[in-house]
Amino acid sequence: MTPILDVQQLSKKYGDFEAVKEVSFTVEEGEVFGLLGPNGAGKTTVISMLTGVLPPSAGTALIGGYDIRTQMNQAKQLNGLVPQDLALYPTLSARANLNFFGQIYGLRGKALREQVEDVLRIVSLTERADQPIETFSGGMKRRINIAAGLVHQPQILFLDEPTVGVDPQSRNHIFESVQRLNRERDMSVIYTSHYMEEVELLCDRAAIIDEGHIIALDTIENLIGLLGGGVIYLGLPRVDAGLLAQIAALPAVREALPAEAAPLGEGEAVAQRETGAKVKVVAEQSQQALVNVIGWLNTQDIPLTSLKILEPNLESVFLHLTGKTLRE
Amino acid sequence: MQALNITSKDLLILLKDRGTLFQLLVLPLIFIVVFSGALTAISTDEAEQDTRIPLAVVDLDGGEAAQRFVTDLDTAGGVRVEPYAQDEAEALLQERKLSRVLTIPARFSADLDAGRPVTLRLVNHPDADPEKTEATRLVIEGVAQDLSLQRQILASLEQMAEMQANAPETSQVFTAERMIAQAQSQFERSRTQPLIDVAQRGPQRGPQRGPQIAEREADAFPDAVQLAVPAFTVLFVFLTAQTTAHSIYEEKRLGSFRRLLAAPMSKAALLAGKMLPNFVTALIQTAVIFAFGLVGLRLMGLQPLSLGNAPVGVILVAMAMALCSSGLGILIAALARTESQIGGLSTLILWGAGILGGSFVPLFILEQFLGSLPRVVPHYWANRAFENLLIRGLGLTSVITELGALLAFTALFFAIGLWRFDFN
Amino acid sequence: MLRDTLSVAWKEIQLIARDRGSLVVLFLLPLLFGVLYGSINRHFAGEGETLSVLVNVDLVNEDTGVFGEQIALALNDIDVLNVETLESAADAEQRVAEGHVSAAIVIPAGLTSDIDAYTPTEIEVIVDPAEPESASIVSGIMNKIIDEATVWGEVQYGIRALLDESGVLADAGAETRRAIQAQNLGVVMTRINEMHHTPLVSVVSQDLEGAVIEGGIELFFALLFPGITVMFVFFGASMSSASLLNERETGALRRLLAAPISRGAVIGGKMLGYMALVCLQVIVLFGVAHSFFGMPLGDSQLALALLTLLLAFVATAMGMLIAALSRSSKQADNVGTVLGFVLGGLGGCIAITPIPLTRTEGFMSVIARLTPHGHAVDAYYSLMAEKASLIDILPQIGFLLAIGALFFLIAIRRFRFTE
C-alpha cells in the first residue's frame, strides 16, 4: 500500500542554520503518527513544509502521491491543518470563519453549507455557531480550531501542538476527537507534541526529533522497548570491564554500559552531579533488576554514590537518547 | 501611599511603550507644525527678497495722469509694476507666463481731467492665485481712490469757482492755477499724513498703553501658529484620557484589579490611584508642547509662544486640565463595555469635543455660530482659560471661572466613574 | 484565483463591518469636520439663511461735533457690527482686554474741531488679540467710513484755503459769508454724493474670457470636502496594514497559506475589500456634501468614478506598503496614523488656500505635488469646481497610477508572509 505521506530527506536551512536536516519518514493511510521532540526541535518547521507554508531547502515529500515541490495545490486539498494558535478571525462568528475557509478550499453553495454544519456537529459547536469566536471559552476555541481544519474533508490532518495551555477537560475532548476521526473516518493524523503521554496514548508510530533530525522512528512499543524494562543509572567509585560484565550477568539485567553521567531529569540542577564513574544498567524489569544489583553491590562491598531510575516511557527514551528532557 | 505605587508602576509601563509615547508627545507637535500653516509661514520667509506681487501694466494712454498712476502703483507697496506692450502682454497671459495684466485705457488722462469716470481692467489668468488677485485689486483700488481724492478736491474747487462766477469779490480767487496748486498741495499732504487716521492697537495691560499695531504688521498679534499651540495642547491632553481608559481596561483584563482590591485599599483610592499616572503624563505632555512653543518655534524662525503675564495661572490651568483629563479617562473606562469601544466611540467623542470646544475653530467664531453649546465640553473652558492668560495676557483672576468649571467637570466625571465602575 | 480573491475580499468586508470603532472614526469624524467647516464658511460667506457675521464693538464718542456724530451714525448702521455705545473709553478698553467685546472704537474729543482746523487727527481702534479676524473686519469698515469725513474735511479746507489766501473773507460782509458757507456745504455734498454713486476710477477684475470673476462658496466646498475625504480615505486604507500584520501575528495568515490559495489572491483580496471601503467613504461624504451644501459634482460622473477607484487603489497599495515595511501591527497602526496626518497636511487636504495647494506658487506647492493626496485633491477640484473632463485630469491620473503601482510592487516584494 502506498503511504499517504512519504517524506524524503526533507531539509530546511536558514542561512547557515539547519533547522531541519534530511528528515525522512512515511505515514500509512489511517495511521496516527506522532512527531515528538522538545521546543525548537524543528517539528513546526517540518509541518510548515509539508503544508506548503514554507518551501523546503532540499528533499521533498509525497502527499497522496502529489509531490509537494511541484503539485502543492493538489496536496493542499488533502491536507488539513490544526495549528497551535487559534489562527482565525475573532470578531467573526464560527460559521463565518468556516464559510470563508470552506470557500478557499473550493466549496460552494449547498456543499459548503452541509460541510460546515457537519463539522460544527463534530466539534459540538452548532449552538454557538453564529457568535463571534472572541466570546468563546478556551476549550471552545480549540474546538473551532479543529473544525476549521476539517471543513474540506482532508485525508491527512496535521495537528501542531494542539494541547498547549489547554485545560484537562478540553484536552480530553481533543484526544477523543482525534481518535474518533481516525476510527470513523479513517483519517490519517500527524500529531506533533512535546508531551509524551499524548503521543503514547494516541499514536501508532512516532518519530523522535531533536535539533532538526530524527533520532528514533518506530512503533510506540518498540520505542519504549529501547529502555527494556527501564534504565538504572548507578554512581560507583570505580568502573572496569569486569565489573560491568558481572552486573550484566545478574538476573533481570539486560546490559550494563559505562555512562558519562546520569542525564539530568526534570527539575534537577547541575549542582547535583556527582563525580566518579557511572554505569547504565538496562533492565528487563526495573524493580527486579534494582533489587538484584543493589543486593550484589552490597555483597561486594561497593558503595553506591548515586542512583537514578528511568521508567519506560517516551520521556525516558528521549532522555536516554539525548541527555535532555522534552520540556526544557 | 498606595496610590503612588500604582502611579510609578503605570508610568514605568508607559515609558517602555514607544508607540504611545509617540502619540502623546510627538504627534501633537506634528499637528501644530503641519496644521497651523507654520510650514507656509516658514516658506514665505525664505521666498525671494522682493515679495511684492508682480503686475504687468499696459499703458495705452501715456499721459501725465497715467504715468503718475503707474508710479504710484509701484511705490504703494505690495505690487511690483512691470510695463509691457499690449500684444506682448496678451500673448504671455494666454500662455500663463503672466498671471495678471492691468490695462490703462487710452483716454485715461483726458477723461480724468474732464472729470469723467474711468474703468481700469485687471485681467487674471484662471490659474492665478485668487488671494493674490484680490490683494492686487485692493492695492490698485487704493491708489485709484487716492487719485479720486485729488480729483475731488480739484473738482470741488472748480465747482466753487462756477458758483462764484457772478460774485465779483470772490471770482478771481478761484483761478485755474490756484485751484490746481491748492488741490495738489492738499493731495501731497494727505498722502504722508491723512487727515483722519485709524490707529489700531491692542488693549492696555497695566500702566502702559497696549502695543501699536499697524494693519499690515502682525508682530504684536499672535499668529496662527501661536494660537495653535494651546489649542492643540488642550485637544491632545484630553485625548490622553483614552490611554488611561486602556490602561484600566488592561488591568481589569489581567485580573490585577481583584488583587488590588484584596489589598487594604478603598475603591475610591484605587481609582484615584489610576488617575495619578494620567495626571502626571498630561502635565509632562503640556510641558513638552509648551516648551516646543517657546523654544522649538523660535528655532524654526517663527514667533515663539508667549506665556503671558501670570505663569502661576498657566500652571494652575494646566493642572486642572490634566486632572480633568484623568477623570475623563476613568469615566470612559467605566462606561465602555468592550475594549474596542474605548477605541472607537471615545475617539469620536474626544475629537468631537475638541472641535466643539475650540481647538480647531476659534472660540469667538464657534460662539457666534453655536451660541452657548460649546460650554458643555471641558475643552471650551480650558481653551478659554489659555486664551485669557496667553493671548490676552490677563491675570490669574480672569480664569477663576474656568478653573472652577474644569474642577467641577473633574468631580462629575470621577463621581460617575466611581458609581458605574465594574470592578470585576 | 478570481474566486479566491473575491472570497478574501468578502472576508475583509465582514471584518471591517465588525470593527465599529474604526467605522465611527472613518465616517463620522470626517462628516463632523466637513459639516462644521462647511457650515462656518457658508455662514461667513453670507449665504446662509440666518444672520450674517456679528462683531461686537464698543463705541465711545468723545467728540461733541458733527463729524463724531456722523461717524457714530454710520457705524450703527452697519449690519455686520453690533455696536454698543459707552461713556468711558477706559471701560471700553477694559472690556476688550477681558475679551467681552471684539473691539472698541474711540472717537477723540477734538475730532470735529481738528478736521475743521485741518489738523490731522486719529481715531483709535482697540482690538482683542485673540480675534485677529474681527480686527481686520473692523479696520476695513472704519477705513470706508472715514472716507466720507475725509473728503468733507479736505474739500472744506481747500475752499477755505483759497479764500483765506486771497483775503476775501476778511472783508466780506455777514451775508456774503453765509452765502459762501452755504455754497461750501453744497459743494461738499455734491462731491460726496458723486463719490458714492459714480466713483471716478473703478477697477474691474475679470478672467480671460471677459467674464467677471465671482466667488461662490460652492466652489470652496469642492475643495474642502475632497480634502477631508482624501485624508480619511488614506486613514481607512492604512487600517489594512495593521489588519494584515495582525493576521500574520495570530497565525491566520499561516492557515491561509496552508490552503490552496495563491499569495496574490490573499493580498489582492485584502486590497479589494479595502477599496470597497474607500469607495463607500467617498460616496457617503460626497453625498452629504452635495445634498446639504450644494457641492457641485462636475460634468463627468465617469471621470469621478474612475478617479475614486484610482484613489482607492493608491490608498490600499500604500496600506500594503506600510505592512511590508512595519514590524508589528501596532507599529503599522502608528505609522499609518502619522503618515495620514503628515501627508494629508502637506498635500493640502486642510483647505487653507482657496485653490488646491498643488496649484499655488512657492515651496509648499512643490511638496504638495510629491504627495498622492495633493494630486487627488487637485483632480477632484478640477472635475467638480471647474467642470473638467477626464482628459483634463490625465496628468493627475498618471501620477496616481504610477505611484500606486510603485507602492504595490515594493509591497509585494518586501512583504514576508511568515515571521
Side-chain angles (χ1 to χ4, degrees):
Chain A
M1 219 170 53
T2 39
I4 185 101
L5 174 63
D6 184 0
V7 183
Q8 302 165 355
Q9 310 274 81
L10 203 59
S11 305
K12 184 69 183 171
K13 235 177 146 179
Y14 294 107
D16 282 336
F17 172 60
E18 289 182 87
V20 174
K21 305 169 196 167
E22 296 182 351
V23 162
S24 302
F25 61 93
T26 59
V27 175
E28 300 299 324
E29 230 178 291
E31 216 188 335
V32 179
F33 185 87
L35 205 51
L36 180 68
N39 290 328
K43 309 190 291 295
T44 303
T45 313
V46 168
I47 301 290
S48 295
M49 284 191 280
L50 293 177
T51 51
V53 175
L54 287 177
S57 306
T60 187
L62 296 174
I63 301 181
Y66 296 116
D67 187 326
I68 63 170
R69 295 199 97 149
T70 53
Q71 299 163 302
M72 193 68 225
N73 266 350
Q74 290 95 315
K76 281 180 176 177
Q77 283 287 355
L78 303 177
N79 290 343
L81 177 63
V82 179
Q84 190 174 348
D85 304 314
L86 180 57
L88 290 170
Y89 299 101
T91 54
L92 299 184
S93 71
R95 184 167 277 126
N97 271 286
L98 292 174
N99 278 335
F100 172 60
F101 282 100
Q103 282 173 355
I104 298 294
Y105 278 94
L107 293 170
R108 288 278 180 279
K110 189 152 169 244
L112 175 63
R113 260 199 318 272
E114 285 177 355
Q115 264 311 105
V116 168
E117 290 307 320
D118 187 38
V119 126
L120 282 170
R121 215 171 11 87
I122 293 179
V123 296
S124 315
L125 279 176
T126 319
E127 269 151 37
R128 303 285 296 266
D130 291 309
Q131 292 177 2
I133 295 183
E134 60 188 352
T135 63
F136 284 9
S137 68
M140 289 164 74
K141 286 181 180 167
R142 285 284 145 195
R143 278 145 54 191
I144 189 65
N145 188 346
I146 294 177
L150 293 176
V151 72
H152 60 288
Q153 294 181 302
Q155 286 184 24
I156 177 166
L157 195 64
F158 292 85
L159 289 117
D160 193 2
E161 309 254 20
T163 58
V164 171
V166 169
D167 63 277
Q169 193 183 6
S170 303
R171 237 171 140 216
N172 284 334
H173 189 278
I174 291 175
F175 297 156
E176 280 169 26
S177 307
V178 172
Q179 286 168 330
R180 208 156 25 99
L181 285 168
N182 174 247
R183 252 197 335 266
E184 293 172 5
R185 303 191 179 216
D186 221 22
M187 190 166 297
S188 317
V189 176
I190 312 279
Y191 192 100
T192 76
S193 181
H194 62 267
Y195 297 129
M196 59 136 191
E197 319 86 44
E198 298 177 356
V199 176
E200 280 182 21
L201 174 66
L202 295 172
C203 302
D204 305 315
R205 287 188 308 138
I208 301 185
I209 182 169
D210 184 38
E211 291 185 355
H213 60 248
I214 296 184
I215 56 176
L217 171 58
D218 211 332
T219 63
I220 302 294
E221 294 81 30
N222 290 350
L223 282 176
I224 293 177
L226 284 178
L227 296 183
V231 170
I232 304 169
Y233 283 91
L234 303 166
L236 301 173
R238 234 182 46 257
V239 167
D240 57 55
L243 182 65
L244 289 176
Q246 282 181 289
I247 293 178
L250 291 172
V253 170
R254 192 194 284 184
E255 16 171 8
L257 308 160
E260 265 300 305
L264 290 176
E266 208 175 305
E268 292 175 59
V270 183
Q272 288 177 358
R273 286 208 182 192
E274 311 272 340
T275 50
K278 294 270 187 269
V279 175
K280 183 157 77 174
V281 175
V282 182
E284 297 288 352
Q285 212 270 358
S286 54
Q287 295 295 356
Q288 196 54 50
L290 185 65
V291 164
N292 295 345
V293 168
I294 289 180
W296 182 82
L297 286 173
N298 270 340
T299 61
Q300 302 297 310
D301 243 337
I302 302 176
L304 205 54
T305 56
S306 71
L307 175 67
K308 189 183 164 97
I309 304 174
L310 292 185
E311 290 304 330
N313 57 35
L314 285 181
E315 178 90 39
S316 308
V317 171
F318 188 77
L319 201 54
H320 170 73
L321 291 173
T322 63
K324 301 181 294 196
T325 59
L326 283 171
R327 295 171 232 232
E328 288 297 355
Chain B
M1 203 182 94
Q2 296 284 34
L4 282 178
N5 293 332
I6 302 182
T7 306
S8 46
K9 185 247 312 164
D10 278 344
L11 279 178
L12 276 175
I13 295 181
L14 182 63
L15 276 174
K16 300 217 172 144
D17 188 351
R18 293 268 166 84
T20 311
L21 269 186
F22 182 84
Q23 277 179 351
L24 283 183
L25 298 177
V26 180
L27 200 57
L29 301 183
I30 294 180
F31 242 76
I32 290 172
V33 169
V34 171
F35 289 129
S36 62
L39 296 174
T40 328
I42 302 178
S43 58
T44 43
D45 274 354
E46 291 169 4
E48 330 83 57
Q49 266 78 343
D50 190 348
T51 52
R52 298 186 292 166
I53 304 172
L55 174 66
V57 178
V58 174
D59 183 0
L60 295 176
D61 179 83
E64 196 188 317
Q67 282 176 8
R68 265 267 290 277
F69 185 76
V70 173
T71 319
D72 288 347
L73 210 51
D74 200 42
T75 50
V79 158
R80 184 176 74 239
V81 170
E82 292 168 359
Y84 281 92
Q86 182 171 37
D87 299 327
E88 197 186 343
E90 269 171 28
L92 288 175
L93 185 62
Q94 290 284 359
E95 291 167 29
R96 214 289 194 216
K97 299 252 174 70
L98 287 176
S99 298
R100 43 192 81 79
V101 177
L102 174 70
T103 307
I104 303 178
R107 297 160 56 102
F108 184 77
S109 309
D111 283 340
L112 266 190
D113 284 339
R116 283 191 292 269
V118 189
T119 303
L120 301 172
R121 272 178 217 287
L122 176 67
V123 182
N124 306 276
H125 192 275
D127 276 355
D129 184 344
E131 242 172 49
K132 292 211 175 117
T133 300
E134 182 62 14
T136 307
R137 194 185 66 81
L138 284 173
V139 171
I140 300 176
E141 238 182 35
V143 177
Q145 200 143 358
D146 286 346
L147 197 60
S148 298
L149 181 63
Q150 184 182 19
R151 278 303 316 163
Q152 264 151 6
I153 298 173
L154 195 54
S156 65
L157 293 174
E158 286 166 359
Q159 189 182 0
M160 197 65 177
E162 255 173 69
M163 291 191 211
Q164 304 308 316
N166 300 320
E169 312 101 29
T170 45
S171 60
Q172 59 267 54
V173 174
F174 293 91
T175 61
E177 315 92 53
R178 281 222 187 103
M179 290 195 294
I180 293 175
Q182 180 62 28
Q184 190 89 345
S185 80
Q186 269 180 254
F187 185 53
E188 299 294 329
R189 204 163 142 191
S190 77
R191 270 149 55 124
T192 49
Q193 188 157 50
L195 188 55
I196 311 176
D197 196 12
V198 175
Q200 195 176 287
R201 65 176 176 80
Q204 205 163 335
R205 300 168 199 186
Q208 321 94 300
R209 280 168 72 89
Q212 196 80 9
I213 306 159
E215 277 167 60
R216 286 273 165 205
E217 258 176 47
D219 269 5
F221 264 164
D223 61 13
V225 188
Q226 282 193 315
L227 291 172
V229 173
F232 283 136
T233 305
V234 170
L235 175 71
F236 280 96
V237 163
F238 276 106
L239 279 176
T240 308
Q242 263 186 318
T243 314
T244 302
H246 271 300
S247 141
I248 293 179
Y249 205 83
E250 191 64 17
E251 194 105 45
K252 253 202 206 179
R253 197 178 62 85
L254 291 175
S256 30
F257 253 155
R258 261 184 244 136
R259 194 195 290 269
L260 287 172
L261 275 176
M265 199 191 287
S266 75
K267 292 188 178 176
L270 187 61
L271 280 186
K274 290 308 278 185
M275 270 176 73
L276 217 38
N278 186 331
F279 177 70
V280 175
T281 307
L283 279 183
I284 296 177
Q285 228 185 344
T286 311
V288 167
I289 301 177
F290 273 35
F292 173 77
L294 278 174
V295 174
L297 287 184
R298 197 193 302 262
L299 287 177
M300 284 164 64
L302 297 168
Q303 236 183 307
L305 177 74
S306 148
L307 281 184
N309 300 318
V312 174
V314 176
I315 293 177
L316 282 180
V317 172
M319 285 170 65
M321 184 171 68
L323 212 56
C324 198
S325 161
S326 317
L328 193 53
I330 304 274
L331 183 67
I332 294 175
L335 295 180
R337 289 290 129 79
T338 69
E339 173 115 48
S340 54
Q341 270 184 358
I342 295 181
L345 199 61
S346 69
T347 301
L348 182 72
I349 293 177
L350 291 172
W351 280 88
I355 297 175
L356 196 60
S359 283
F360 286 94
V361 177
L363 277 178
F364 78 96
I365 294 183
L366 274 184
E367 282 183 296
Q368 274 209 18
F369 203 61
L370 300 168
S372 301
L373 188 59
R375 291 177 193 214
V376 306
V377 295
H379 299 64
Y380 170 83
W381 300 96
N383 271 321
R384 219 170 84 165
F386 279 133
E387 204 179 61
N388 279 348
L389 289 173
L390 301 179
I391 298 174
R392 298 202 177 105
L394 296 174
L396 180 55
T397 44
S398 67
V399 295
I400 302 267
T401 326
E402 286 77 9
L403 280 173
L406 284 172
L407 290 175
F409 270 110
T410 310
L412 180 68
F413 293 155
F414 188 75
I416 300 180
L418 189 58
W419 171 42
R420 300 285 297 185
F421 200 88
D422 178 15
F423 281 84
N424 297 318
Chain C
M1 164 131 168
L2 182 61
R3 265 208 177 144
D4 287 340
T5 308
L6 288 175
S7 296
V8 174
W10 173 237
K11 178 255 298 176
E12 289 311 323
I13 292 176
Q14 288 181 80
L15 283 177
I16 295 171
R18 292 296 180 113
D19 191 354
R20 297 281 154 78
S22 296
L23 287 180
V24 147
V25 168
L26 291 178
F27 284 90
L28 287 187
L29 210 51
L31 273 178
L32 203 65
F33 272 110
V35 167
L36 183 75
Y37 277 103
S39 303
I40 290 182
N41 273 289
R42 183 166 63 178
H43 183 92
F44 277 88
E47 294 186 28
E49 321 75 20
T50 49
L51 33 86
S52 51
V53 185
L54 268 192
V55 181
N56 296 318
V57 297
D58 282 345
L59 174 64
V60 179
N61 183 9
E62 294 173 353
D63 182 52
T64 44
V66 66
F67 287 115
E69 197 182 308
Q70 183 195 66
I71 292 176
L73 275 173
L75 279 173
N76 272 296
D77 244 357
I78 301 211
D79 289 333
V80 164
L81 296 182
N82 181 21
V83 180
E84 192 180 321
T85 312
L86 293 184
E87 293 298 316
S88 151
D91 280 348
E93 181 147 5
Q94 185 70 5
R95 275 161 57 93
V96 174
E98 289 170 5
H100 297 305
V101 283
S102 307
I105 301 171
V106 180
I107 304 176
L111 184 78
T112 305
S113 50
D114 279 344
I115 294 180
D116 279 341
Y118 201 64
T119 313
T121 177
E122 181 184 274
I123 297 182
E124 271 189 335
V125 176
I126 307 168
V127 292
D128 181 3
E131 301 185 26
E133 292 89 346
S134 302
S136 55
I137 292 178
V138 173
S139 294
I141 291 172
M142 279 310 298
N143 279 319
K144 279 238 136 56
I145 287 183
I146 62 168
D147 272 350
E148 205 174 287
T150 305
V151 167
W152 191 311
E154 294 279 354
V155 165
Q156 190 176 262
Y157 173 70
I159 296 173
R160 200 175 62 226
L162 279 186
L163 287 176
D164 281 349
E165 201 182 275
S166 63
V168 159
L169 276 183
D171 308 329
E175 203 176 300
T176 321
R177 270 204 214 125
R178 269 201 301 276
I180 290 182
Q181 250 178 359
Q183 286 158 344
N184 198 334
L185 197 58
V187 168
V188 168
M189 296 318 293
T190 319
R191 294 271 65 86
I192 290 184
N193 211 27
E194 212 177 87
M195 180 178 89
H196 283 312
H197 290 136
T198 42
L200 204 53
V201 182
S202 56
V203 185
V204 171
S205 192
Q206 33 184 203
D207 67 10
L208 284 178
E209 277 90 58
V212 182
I213 292 186
E214 341 188 60
I217 194 71
E218 282 80 20
L219 294 187
F220 178 66
F221 288 149
L223 183 60
L224 174 73
F225 282 98
I228 295 177
T229 306
V230 165
M231 191 155 106
F232 277 87
V233 151
F234 273 89
F235 278 132
S238 80
M239 278 167 50
S240 66
S241 61
S243 163
L244 183 59
L245 288 177
N246 189 264
E247 271 180 295
R248 189 170 77 191
E249 286 160 10
T250 58
L253 200 58
R254 187 160 166 258
R255 198 194 278 273
L256 266 180
L257 290 177
I261 180 176
S262 68
R263 297 181 172 201
V266 174
I267 299 289
K270 199 167 201 77
M271 282 180 68
L272 201 58
Y274 277 87
M275 279 173 71
L277 171 69
V278 166
C279 290
L280 190 63
Q281 271 180 299
V282 172
I283 291 175
V284 167
L285 292 169
F286 281 13
V288 168
H290 179 65
S291 314
F292 291 100
F293 292 90
M295 178 185 82
L297 290 178
D299 283 341
S300 174
Q301 252 66 345
L302 175 67
L304 216 53
L306 219 58
L307 176 62
T308 303
L309 280 176
L310 196 51
L311 173 68
F313 170 65
V314 177
T316 49
M318 183 176 245
M320 294 297 99
L321 181 65
I322 295 175
L325 300 178
S326 301
R327 268 192 293 259
S328 73
S329 58
K330 196 141 186 250
Q331 188 186 58
D333 206 11
N334 285 335
V335 170
T337 306
V338 173
L339 222 51
F341 279 126
V342 173
L343 287 180
L346 292 178
C349 288
I350 317 297
I352 33 181
T353 49
I355 50 172
L357 194 57
T358 43
R359 300 191 197 178
T360 57
E361 297 136 9
F363 177 62
M364 286 314 296
S365 74
V366 174
I367 304 261
R369 274 174 243 154
L370 293 174
T371 65
H373 303 64
H375 286 276
V377 172
D378 193 329
Y380 273 121
Y381 186 75
S382 296
L383 289 179
M384 301 195 293
E386 298 171 338
K387 305 193 197 273
S389 64
L390 189 57
I391 306 183
D392 297 318
I393 58 167
L394 273 183
Q396 283 78 25
I397 299 250
F399 179 88
L400 289 174
L401 201 55
I403 206 168
L406 181 67
F407 287 162
F408 184 70
L409 288 172
I410 299 180
I412 291 290
R413 282 211 53 182
R414 293 282 306 244
F415 183 68
R416 296 206 349 246
F417 280 80
T418 49
E419 280 173 327

